[in-house]
Amino acid sequence: MKQGKFPLIFIIEDNPLFLRMIEEHLKQNNLVNFKSFVNANDFVEELYLKPDIVIMDYELGDSDGIDLLNKINNRIKHINVIMLTNSEDI
């Protein structure tokens, strides 16, 4: 990330309520350079934009977090990822 530039944040969350909560939290903290996705396919297609940070759900309808993390790491070597889940099994 270049100095003075807002980080590009990608959010991938298939639950509309959780997605809105994350978006609102980012806005309240002046982190306004973000792009949201509700499925893994759309997210992967946009990785060419090379986000600085990814906030992602572990359990998505069309992918799981580990598979998606591998896809991210195959395309972008140095990236910060925050993985969220409400599952008690992990």
Side-chain angles (χ1 to χ4, degrees):
M1 180 176 73
K2 296 177 185 170
Q3 284 188 339
K5 178 186 133 188
F6 287 104
L8 175 57
I9 302 170
F10 275 16
I11 308 163
I12 178 164
E13 172 59 70
D14 59 349
N15 181 307
L17 177 62
F18 291 154
L19 178 59
R20 184 173 169 106
M21 287 172 44
I22 295 167
E23 291 172 340
E24 290 303 316
H25 181 75
L26 292 174
K27 288 177 190 175
Q28 289 172 5
N29 289 280
N30 296 319
L31 296 168
V32 294
N33 190 20
F34 63 83
K35 188 168 178 115
S36 300
F37 304 90
V38 295
N39 67 64
N41 290 331
D42 291 344
F43 168 83
V44 170
E45 288 179 11
E46 296 291 315
L47 281 175
Y48 74 91
L49 294 172
K50 298 192 186 302
D52 300 295
I53 301 167
V54 173
I55 302 172
M56 59 183 282
D57 187 1
Y58 178 79
E59 296 177 341
L60 298 164
D62 62 341
S63 183
D64 72 49
I66 300 302
D67 289 339
L68 195 53
L69 189 58
N70 288 329
K71 289 178 183 177
I72 295 168
N73 286 329
N74 286 335
R75 289 170 175 79
I76 304 171
K77 295 301 175 197
H78 302 284
I79 187 166
N80 296 302
V81 176
I82 301 168
M83 192 176 297
L84 307 171
T85 186
N86 66 357
S87 175
E88 295 179 11
D89 297 333
I90 297 176

